[in-house]
C-alpha cells in the first residue's frame, strides 16, 4: 500500500470567531469535582499555647471550580465539622484546645454546588486541654438546720469547689472541695443571708464558676398572697418561699382585724393545688368555700416547713364575699304535657336577677328525688325522655338556682320537711301506647330493644342454640296502632344466627313495640316477648 499525503496551502486572513460559555447551573451540572490531593498539615502552639494548624493542598484542575471546604473531626468519631471555606489552597485553623486529637480533610466544590469526596485524612493533631467544664447551675434551699446546695454534674469535671460569703462581704471563702453534686452548709448562722457559688474543675485544672445564689436559714411565711372572690368562695394564691420547704399551711379567717391565730379562726381551705407561674416560681392555691356571701372577712396564712416549724402570719388580706345567701323563689305555672316519647315540662321564667339555671327532678315516694337534668337560665322547658309511653304516672319538680349556688334543697331527714322550702311540682300520666294484644311468648328467642336518638330503632336478638341449626330464619314485627296489628318489617327473614337488627323505617318521635318470630322449615312461626323502643322527633 502507498500512503498519499496532500498539502493545502491557505493564503489570506481567516475571519472565524467563536465563544464558549460553560453551563454550570445545578440543573445541568451534576458532576462532582475530583477530591483535592497533596493535603499536608503543620501544627504549632500559638502565643497563648493553643494549637494552631496550617493546612495546604494542591490546586484542582476543574474549569468551573468555585473553591474548597475544610472539615475537622475528633479522632475516633465519624462526624465532620466544616471549619473553613476558601478559594485558595491553604487554611489556618485554631484547633480547639480540648485535650482531644483531630483529623482534617479538604473537599472541592464547583459553581453548581457539587462537592467532591474528601481528600486523604491528615492528623492526628494533638491539642492541650484549655477548655473548662460547663458551668454548674446552682440552686439553694434554706431550711431551719442548714443551707442545702445542689447542682447538676458538669461533663469532664472531677471535683467541685464550694464558696460562700455573707451579703455584706466582698470576697468569698472556700468552704469545701467535693466530688458530689451537693453540699450541706450547717455552719451558716441562722437568720443570716449568704451568697454561694460553685466551681467545676477538670483534671487539667480548668474551672468554671456557677451562678450565685442567696440562701438563709429561716422559716418564711407565705409570700405574695392574693385573693379572688368568684361566686363559690375565696381563692388564695401565694408564692412558695425560696427553698420550697413547705410541708403544710393554715388559713385563718375572722370578721375582725388583727386576726388571732386560734383554733376558732382556723378555716378549712380546700381544693389545694401546686403549680408553676410564668417566671418559674412554685405557687400554691386553696379555696375557702364556707364563708357567708355578702360578709367582709380578714385572712392570715401561716406555713409549716419540713422541720416541723410554723411561721408567723402573712400580711392580712381583707375581702368581701359577693352575693347573698337567699335561694330564688319557686318557679310558677309549672305544667306537664305527655308526649309519645316522654313528658314536656314548661314553666314561667324566674324573676330572680341572679338566676343561673334550673334543676329538674323526678319526685320519688320511696326516697330522695332523682336528678334528671339542668336547664340554663333563659330557657323554661324540659323534655323528660326519651321515655317509653306506657301509661305510668310520675311527679316532677323544677328548682331555680342562682349564680351563687343558692337553691331550695332536699333534706333527707325524717324529722323535717322534704325540702328546705316550698317547691313547684307537677304530676303527669304518660300516654299509653302499648299493644292491645300480645301473642304468647313461645319462641326460643327473645328481643331486647334499646332507645335510639337517631333514625333507626335497634334491638338485640338472643336465641337458643337450636335456632341456628333448626330454624329457617327470624322475622321482626312492629305494632301498628292504626290497624291494631303487628306488621312484619323484615322483607325476608333474618338468618337464624342473627344477634341484632336495626329498623330503618321506625317512625320518629314516638314509642314503638317489637317482637320476633322464629320461622320453622315448614314456614310456621312462634313468637317472642314484646319490647319497646323510643325515637326522638327530627331535629331533637
Amino acid at each position: 500500500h502507498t500512503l498519499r499525503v496532500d498539502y493545502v496551502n491557505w493564503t489570506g486572513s481567516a475571519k472565524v470567531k467563536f465563544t464558549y460559555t460553560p453551563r454550570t447551573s445545578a440543573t445541568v451540572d451534576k458532576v462532582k469535582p475530583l477530591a483535592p490531593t497533596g493535603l499536608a498539615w503543620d501544627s504549632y502552639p500559638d502565643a497563648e499555647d493553643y494549637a494552631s494548624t496550617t493546612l495546604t493542598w494542591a490546586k484542582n484542575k476543574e474549569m468551573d471550580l468555585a473553591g474548597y471546604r475544610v472539615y475537622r473531626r475528633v479522632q475516633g468519631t465519624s462526624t465532620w465539622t466544616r471549619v473553613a471555606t476558601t478559594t485558595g489552597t491553604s487554611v489556618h485553623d485554631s484547633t480547639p484546645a480540648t485535650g482531644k486529637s483531630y483529623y482534617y480533610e479538604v473537599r472541592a466544590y464547583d459553581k453548581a454546588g457539587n462537592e467532591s469526596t474528601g481528600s486523604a485524612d491528615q492528623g492526628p493533631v494533638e491539642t492541650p486541654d484549655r477548655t473548662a467544664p460547663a458551668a454548674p447551675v446552682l440552686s439553694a434551699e434554706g431550711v431551719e438546720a442548714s443551707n442545702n446546695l445542689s447542682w447538676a454534674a458538669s461533663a469532664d469535671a472531677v471535683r467541685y469547689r464550694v464558696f460562700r460569703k455573707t451579703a455584706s462581704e466582698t470576697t468569698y471563702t472556700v468552704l469545701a472541695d467535693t466530688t458530689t453534686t451537693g453540699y450541706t452548709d450547717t455552719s451558716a448562722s441562722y437568720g443570716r443571708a449568704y451568697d454561694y457559688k460553685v466551681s467545676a474543675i477538670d483534671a487539667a485544672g480548668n474551672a468554671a464558676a456557677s451562678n450565685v445564689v442567696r440562701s438563709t436559714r429561716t422559716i418564711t411565711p407565705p409570700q405574695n398572697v392574693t385573693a379572688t372572690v368568684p361566686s363559690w368562695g375565696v381563692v388564695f394564691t401565694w408564692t412558695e418561699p425560696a427553698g420550697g420547704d413547705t410541708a403544710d399551711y393554715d388559713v385563718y379567717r375572722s370578721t375582725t382585724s388583727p386576726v388571732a391565730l386560734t383554733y376558732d379562726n382556723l378555716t378549712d381551705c380546700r381544693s389545694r393545688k401546686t403549680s408553676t407561674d410564668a417566671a418559674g416560681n412554685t405557687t400554691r392555691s386553696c379555696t375557702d368555700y364556707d364563708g357567708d356571701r355578702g360578709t367582709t372577712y380578714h385572712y392570715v396564712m401561716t406555713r409549716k416547713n419540713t422541720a416541723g416549724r410554723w411561721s408567723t402570719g402573712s400580711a392580712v388580706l381583707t375581702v368581701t364575699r359577693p352575693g347573698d345567701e337567699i335561694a330564688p323563689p319557686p318557679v310558677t305555672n309549672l305544667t306537664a304535657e305527655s308526649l309519645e316519647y316522654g313528658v314536656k315540662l314548661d314553666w314561667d321564667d324566674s324573676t330572680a336577677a341572679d338566676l343561673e339555671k334550673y334543676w329538674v327532678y323526678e319526685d320519688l315516694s320511696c326516697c330522695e328525688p332523682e336528678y334528671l337534668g339542668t336547664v340554663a337560665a333563659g330557657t323554661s322547658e324540659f323534655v323528660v325522655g326519651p321515655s317509653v309511653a306506657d301509661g305510668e304516672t310520675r311527679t316532677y319538680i323544677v328548682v331555680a338556682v342562682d349564680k351563687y349556688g343558692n337553691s331550695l334543697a332536699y333534706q333527707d331527714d325524717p324529722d323535717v320537711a322534704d325540702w328546705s322550702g316550698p317547691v313547684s311540682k307537677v304530676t303527669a300520666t304518660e300516654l299509653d301506647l302499648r299493644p292491645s294484644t300480645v301473642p304468647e311468648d313461645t319462641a326460643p328467642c327473645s328481643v331486647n330493644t334499646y332507645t335510639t336518638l337517631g333514625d333507626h330503632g335497634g334491638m338485640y336478638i338472643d336465641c337458643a342454640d337450636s335456632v341456628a341449626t333448626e330454624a329457617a330464619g327470624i322475622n321482626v314485627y312492629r305494632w301498628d296502632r292504626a290497624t291494631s296489628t303487628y306488621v312484619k318489617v323484615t322483607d325476608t327473614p333474618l338468618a337464624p344466627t342473627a344477634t341484632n337488627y336495626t329498623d330503618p323505617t321506625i317512625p320518629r318521635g314516638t314509642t314503638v313495640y317489637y317482637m320476633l318470630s322464629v320461622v320453622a322449615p315448614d314456614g310456621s312461626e312462634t313468637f317472642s316477648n314484646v319490647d319497646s323502643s323510643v325515637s326522638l322527633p327530627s331535629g331533637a
Side-chain angles (χ1 to χ4, degrees):
H1 297 280
T2 301
L3 176 65
R4 177 180 176 179
V5 179
D6 295 325
Y7 295 92
V8 177
N9 185 19
W10 297 97
T11 62
S13 300
K15 299 185 181 294
V16 178
K17 296 195 329 181
F18 67 90
T19 60
Y20 171 66
T21 303
R23 301 177 69 186
T24 60
S25 68
T27 57
V28 175
D29 184 0
K30 304 293 185 179
V31 180
K32 296 180 180 180
L34 296 175
T37 59
L39 177 61
W41 64 278
D42 186 20
S43 183
Y44 51 89
D46 63 13
E48 297 181 355
D49 202 27
Y50 284 77
S52 182
T53 304
T54 299
L55 303 167
T56 59
W57 59 90
K59 184 177 181 179
N60 275 39
K61 305 298 185 181
E62 287 85 358
M63 294 177 61
D64 61 344
L65 189 71
Y68 305 90
R69 295 169 181 151
V70 180
Y71 293 84
R72 180 182 67 216
R73 67 175 172 85
V74 176
Q75 184 179 20
T77 70
S78 58
T79 301
W80 291 95
T81 300
R82 187 194 300 181
V83 296
T85 299
T86 181
T87 57
T89 57
S90 66
V91 156
H92 175 79
D93 181 46
S94 295
T95 311
T98 61
K100 299 177 182 178
S101 297
Y102 293 86
Y103 278 90
Y104 288 89
E105 74 173 28
V106 180
R107 305 173 194 172
Y109 69 96
D110 61 22
K111 294 178 180 179
N114 301 306
E115 184 179 79
S116 74
T117 56
S119 65
D121 296 358
Q122 293 295 315
V125 179
E126 297 180 352
T127 65
D129 187 356
R130 300 286 187 269
T131 303
V137 178
L138 178 63
S139 61
E141 179 187 27
V143 298
E144 184 179 4
S146 61
N147 286 325
N148 300 331
L149 309 181
S150 62
W151 58 92
S154 299
D156 296 332
V158 296
R159 59 192 170 98
Y160 302 92
R161 182 163 293 163
V162 182
F163 299 85
R164 184 189 78 186
K165 73 177 185 66
T166 63
S168 60
E169 292 175 330
T170 57
T171 58
Y172 284 88
T173 300
V174 176
L175 284 182
D177 279 11
T178 178
T179 58
T180 64
T181 56
Y183 181 77
T184 300
D185 181 14
T186 57
S187 65
S189 298
Y190 183 84
R192 174 176 289 184
Y194 290 89
D195 292 334
Y196 295 90
K197 65 180 180 179
V198 173
S199 288
I201 306 171
D202 65 15
N206 302 304
S210 72
N211 55 307
V212 175
V213 296
R214 178 166 292 182
S215 186
T216 305
R217 288 176 56 189
T218 186
I219 305 172
T220 306
Q223 302 291 301
N224 306 318
V225 184
T226 61
T228 57
V229 282
S231 61
W232 58 85
V234 182
V235 179
F236 298 97
T237 302
W238 57 279
T239 304
E240 179 81 342
D245 61 338
T246 298
D248 197 3
Y249 58 93
D250 280 341
V251 179
Y252 295 85
R253 180 186 68 209
S254 175
T255 55
T256 60
S257 183
V259 181
L261 304 183
T262 62
Y263 180 81
D264 290 341
N265 288 336
L266 186 63
T267 185
D268 183 14
C269 202
R270 304 189 294 277
S271 299
R272 299 189 174 203
K273 299 177 182 177
T274 302
S275 58
T276 304
D277 64 16
N281 300 311
T282 298
T283 60
R284 297 177 182 268
S285 64
C286 67
T287 302
D288 174 20
Y289 296 97
D290 301 326
D292 293 335
R293 299 173 185 86
T295 301
T296 298
Y297 291 104
H298 309 281
Y299 290 91
V300 165
M301 302 183 70
T302 62
R303 75 180 189 95
K304 183 173 72 174
N305 70 359
T306 52
R309 304 288 187 180
W310 284 94
S311 73
T312 57
S314 67
V316 176
L317 276 81
T318 300
V319 298
T320 300
R321 291 285 307 275
D324 55 53
E325 299 288 329
I326 303 172
V331 301
T332 57
N333 295 324
L334 176 61
T335 61
E337 177 189 0
S338 296
L339 307 171
E340 294 185 8
Y341 56 91
V343 176
K344 179 181 178 181
L345 305 179
D346 193 279
W347 60 92
D348 291 345
D349 288 338
S350 173
T351 57
D354 54 1
L355 183 74
E356 181 181 66
K357 57 193 172 186
Y358 304 93
W359 287 331
V360 182
Y361 299 88
E362 182 182 349
D363 193 24
L364 304 177
S365 59
C366 67
C367 44
E368 183 176 345
E370 178 185 358
Y371 168 78
L372 298 179
T374 297
V375 178
T379 302
S380 56
E381 65 176 42
F382 181 84
V383 175
V384 180
S387 179
V388 176
D390 55 5
E392 292 187 356
T393 298
R394 302 176 184 269
T395 299
Y396 301 100
I397 299 171
V398 177
V399 176
V401 185
D402 68 21
K403 63 182 180 181
Y404 305 109
N406 297 311
S407 71
L408 297 172
Y410 180 78
Q411 302 172 110
D412 190 9
D413 187 339
D415 296 328
V416 299
D418 288 348
W419 290 82
S420 58
V423 294
S424 296
K425 298 184 180 183
V426 65
T427 298
T429 300
E430 299 169 339
L431 299 178
D432 191 351
L433 304 182
R434 291 175 293 179
S436 57
T437 61
V438 177
E440 183 180 1
D441 180 3
T442 60
C445 289
S446 63
V447 59
N448 180 22
T449 62
Y450 52 84
T451 297
T452 175
L453 303 182
D455 295 325
H456 309 308
M459 65 192 69
Y460 300 109
I461 300 171
D462 185 16
C463 296
D465 293 341
S466 59
V467 173
T469 57
E470 298 175 6
I474 298 173
N475 283 322
V476 179
Y477 287 86
R478 186 177 69 215
W479 176 253
D480 183 354
R481 296 196 304 273
T483 61
S484 296
T485 59
Y486 290 94
V487 177
K488 185 164 59 177
V489 295
T490 46
D491 294 332
T492 58
L494 303 177
T497 56
T499 58
N500 59 78
Y501 175 72
T502 300
D503 179 11
T505 64
I506 185 174
R508 298 301 304 274
T510 189
T511 300
V512 297
Y513 290 83
Y514 293 96
M515 70 176 179
L516 304 176
S517 76
V518 176
V519 183
D522 61 3
S524 62
E525 296 178 281
T526 54
F527 297 96
S528 73
N529 63 301
V530 175
D531 202 6
S532 60
S533 182
V534 182
S535 65
L536 290 176
S538 298

